[in-house]
Amino acid sequence: MLGGPVYVALIRFGISFAGVVILFFLMTESRFNKKQTITYYIGFGLLLITGACIWYMIDQESCVRIVAFVMYIGFCVFSILISKDHVFLSIYKLALIFYLLAVFLIGGIEVSIIFFNRNVWADIVTRIILIGIMVVFIDKKIKNSIRAFGYYVESELDHFSIAVMVISILFGIGFILNPDIKEQTPYRLFQIIINFFLTGALQLLVFRLYLHIGKEKEYQRENQLMQMNHRLLERNVELMEESVESGRRIRHDARHHNAVIAEYIHRGQNQELLQYLKEYEKEMDTGIPEIICANMAVNNILSAYTRRARKEQIKVTLDVELEKNLPIPSIDLVAILANAYENAIYGCIEVKKQSKERECFIHLMLKKKKNKLVICCSNTCRIETELKNGQPKPEFTGGVGVLSITKTAKKYDGEYDFKNDNGVFVFRLIMNIPLPENEDSRMGSQI
C-alpha cells in the first residue's frame, strides 16, 4: 500500500516471510531435523520472494492487492508438508499465524501512515519490532501451552469448526487489507481495531473451547482409570475372601480327617486307612485351583474373571503361555487383561439380555513370541456394536477399560485394533517386551 522501489518490496517480503516462519515453528515441530528444515525454508523462501518481486515489477497494483494472500497460501501448503502435526491441526495453527501476520502488516502500514507520513522505512522497522514482540511473548509465555493444547485440538477438532474459523479470519483480515480504501479516517481506524478484536476473540474462543473439551476428556480418562482400579480391587478382594474361606474349610476338614485317621489306627484297620487316604488325595486333587499360567498375578486375575464368566454361563477358552518372570510389570499386564476380560464379559451379558438363544463365548489368547507379547481376545457381542476412531463406543463396553488398555499399550510401543466381526468382537494387541536391565547394560557395554 505504501509503494516504493522493488528493493524495498524485497525487504518487506523477506521480513514478512521470515516472521511467519519463526512464529509458525515456535508453535509446531518439523518432521525433519533443524538443519534440513532451515535449508528447505531458505530455498522455498527465495523462490517465493523472487516470484513476488517479479510480480511487483510487472504489475504493482495487483501485486499490492493480493500478494500477501498468495504468498501466505504458498507458505501454508509448504508448511503443512514440512510440519509433523496432523493436517487440520496445522491449518488451525496457520490460521493463528495469518492473524499475527495481519497484525504486523497492518500495524506497520498504519504506524507509517499516521505518524511518519507514509515513510516506507517506518513500516519496515515497525514490522520488525512487532515480530520481535510476538516472538518473545510466544516463546516465553504460550509456546508450551500451545504445543500441549495441540494434542486436544488434534483429538477433538472437527472439520466444520476449523473451516468456519479459517473462513471468518480470511474475511475479517481481507476487509482490513482492502487496498481500495485510500482515505484514513478515525472511522477507518475504528473498523481496523474492531476487526482485529473480533478475529482475535474468535481465536481465543476456539482455544478456550478445545482446551475445555480436552480437559474434560482428561477428567473422563482419570475417572475411567479410577473405576478400573476399583474393579481390580474388587477382584483382588474376591481372591482374598476365597483364600480365607478355603483356609477355614481346610482347617475344619483337617480336624475331621485327623479324627478318622486316629480311629483307623486305634482299631488297627490299616487297609481301610490306606483306602481312605487314597480317596482323600483324589478329593484334594479335584479341589486344587486351576493353573492357567506360571505368572502368578496373571493367573490369579484370569482365574477370578474366568469363574465370574462361567457363573454367567459363558463358555471360556484360554490359550495362555506366559513365563513366571516377565520384564513387563504385573500391574500393566493386569490392567490390560482385566479390562479386556471385563469388557468381554460385559459384551456377553448384553447379548444374553438381548437374545437368550445366542450362545456366548470368550476366547483369550496370550503368548510371548521373542521380544513381543501377543494378546487376542474375542467374544460374542451385539451385532450393532459400533466403533469410533478405531475404538468401541463406551456404551458397548460398559464405559471402562479401553482407554486404560490403549494407554498401557502405548507405554510399550504397542499396536492394537478393535473390530466387530459380524457379532464377534475382536481385540488384538502386540507390544514390545522391554529388555531386562542386565541385558540392557550388557548391550550398552558391547556398543
Side-chain angles (χ1 to χ4, degrees), residues 411-423:
K411 183 178 176 181
Y412 298 96
D413 297 324
E415 296 182 5
Y416 55 86
D417 71 337
F418 303 88
K419 69 175 181 177
N420 178 3
D421 188 8
N422 195 27

Side-chain angles (χ1 to χ4, degrees), residues 1 100-113 123 126-127 130 173 176-178 188-189 192 196:
M1 287 185 185
L100 298 177
L101 167 67
V103 170
F104 68 73
L105 283 181
I106 301 302
I109 293 171
E110 294 300 323
V111 167
S112 174
I113 293 173
D123 173 28
T126 304
R127 290 188 190 192
L130 290 175
I173 298 174
I176 297 170
L177 291 175
N178 185 0
R188 164 65 176 163
L189 190 61
I192 292 173
F196 273 123

Side-chain angles (χ1 to χ4, degrees), residues 228-240:
M228 182 271 292
N229 289 330
H230 175 71
R231 294 193 181 190
L232 289 179
L233 287 173
E234 285 182 341
R235 300 290 86 78
N236 287 328
V237 169
E238 289 176 7
L239 290 171
M240 291 177 65

Side-chain angles (χ1 to χ4, degrees), residues 205-235:
L205 287 173
V206 171
F207 180 87
R208 296 292 299 175
L209 171 65
Y210 285 108
L211 187 63
H212 174 76
I213 293 174
K215 287 184 176 180
E216 186 68 25
K217 290 290 185 180
E218 288 293 328
Y219 294 147
Q220 290 179 9
R221 292 186 185 98
E222 292 298 326
N223 182 46
Q224 290 190 2
L225 289 175
M226 289 175 64
Q227 291 184 48
M228 182 271 292
N229 289 330
H230 175 71
R231 294 193 181 190
L232 289 179
L233 287 173
E234 285 182 341
R235 300 290 86 78

